[in-house]
Amino acid sequence: MRKLRKTAEFLLDMIYPKKCPLCHEVLKDRNKLLCGKCAGKIRPFSSSLCMKCGKPVKMEEEYCVVCREGGHYFTEGRSIFPYGEIWRQSLVRFKYYGCREYGDFYAKAMSVYGRRYLERWKPQLIVPVPLHPAKKRMRGFNQAAYLAERLSCYTGIPWTDSLVLKIRNTRSQKKLDALQRRNNLRKAYEVTHKLDDISILVVDDVYTTGSTMDAMAICLTEAGAQAVYFLTVCAGRQ
Ligand SMILES: [Zn+2]
Ligand SMILES: [Zn+2]
């Protein structure tokens, strides 16, 4: 039996070698998610983080400038890794060049490093940020849905990608005041069901300005969600 499995693994390696999701080198050990070199190189956020959006802040600060001014609509959220060149390349391969299995590593990292947040938030449903149908047709898959499905496997929290639909692309928010901004964000998504006071975890690959998460939070809250949290693989600069 064991020999058979070894042969199967050998054949699988020949046809389809498993690559390190960060440097794209072939992994010698199929059971590892990362190569040794990369495992030593990437570190999750560990400094002081904004208690609402999870962005790095100075040591004595509890909230970042945006959150202090009440600039976000979600309840709370965290990202696992600081976005940089290694991550940019990895995510490009994941999203556009068919390396979907990289998502297994991303979701695993989210479940391991995000565990303490998930235990505190206790979300009842995982929802990926939806792609506009035209974009999804072009790309072939929604990377956030892949992450949501894997994260659901690792955590046991159910997921669905039919609750929120992307109906419009959002315009740039820069020149809008608070009310216009909110209205603009509200138009981007449509929630297909009324929600019964449940708490939701929104999942995506990268968090930057937070406008996507704000839009999701506005729509989900209006549909009846009691709390909207988010978890992303990376957080980048504004
Ligand atoms: Zn590597
Ligand atoms: Zn913040």
Side-chain angles (χ1 to χ4, degrees), residues 13-213:
D13 276 341
M14 297 269 291
I15 307 161
Y16 186 53
K18 206 175 153 194
K19 304 267 179 70
C20 168
L22 293 176
C23 66
H24 208 56
E25 297 276 317
V26 172
L27 283 176
K28 290 192 188 86
D29 182 350
R30 262 198 103 77
N31 299 315
K32 289 263 162 62
L33 288 169
L34 272 185
C35 82
K37 262 188 280 169
C38 291
K41 250 194 288 188
I42 59 148
R43 288 268 172 271
F45 279 117
S46 59
S47 61
S48 308
L49 302 175
C50 170
M51 288 169 68
K52 190 174 173 82
C53 74
K55 285 234 177 180
V57 289
K58 291 196 200 100
M59 220 166 67
E60 65 277 14
E61 289 174 341
E62 290 191 322
Y63 295 98
C64 72
V65 186
V66 184
C67 291
R68 227 179 298 147
E69 291 171 356
H72 288 305
Y73 301 100
F74 49 76
T75 313
E76 201 181 313
R78 293 290 184 273
S79 311
I80 307 299
F81 299 100
Y83 186 75
E85 187 50 28
I86 294 180
W87 277 106
R88 193 191 63 78
Q89 288 183 16
S90 177
L91 287 163
V92 163
R93 285 193 211 104
F94 171 56
K95 276 152 83 164
Y96 307 106
Y97 294 97
C99 300
R100 290 190 198 180
E101 73 282 3
Y102 285 13
D104 301 355
F105 160 67
Y106 304 157
K108 187 85 199 171
M110 287 164 105
S111 75
V112 171
Y113 295 115
R115 189 170 160 186
R116 57 192 166 134
Y117 305 116
L118 296 176
E119 281 176 355
R120 180 157 59 81
W121 299 337
K122 299 184 178 61
Q124 291 152 284
L125 185 65
I126 301 176
V127 171
V129 170
L131 273 186
H132 195 277
K135 221 176 194 178
K136 190 175 167 189
R137 229 173 296 130
M138 249 167 60
R139 197 180 291 175
F141 86 124
N142 175 3
Q143 82 280 0
Y146 190 98
L147 295 176
E149 193 261 328
R150 298 314 301 158
L151 188 63
S152 169
C153 265
Y154 295 136
T155 59
I157 305 165
W159 81 286
T160 175
D161 67 348
S162 58
L163 179 64
V164 188
L165 307 175
K166 178 96 190 254
I167 49 171
R168 222 170 272 122
N169 287 315
T170 32
R171 286 183 295 144
S172 166
Q173 303 272 10
K174 279 191 189 131
K175 285 181 185 149
L176 307 178
D177 66 27
L179 188 68
Q180 287 171 320
R181 187 166 168 266
R182 195 188 160 96
N183 283 332
N184 192 34
L185 291 173
R186 184 196 275 129
K187 281 187 266 175
Y189 299 99
E190 186 180 271
V191 181
T192 56
H193 303 292
K194 277 264 156 265
L195 299 169
D196 190 18
D197 220 23
I198 62 168
S199 71
I200 287 179
L201 179 75
V202 181
V203 163
D204 204 0
D205 52 352
V206 186
Y207 176 94
T208 42
T209 62
S211 65
T212 299
M213 291 305 172

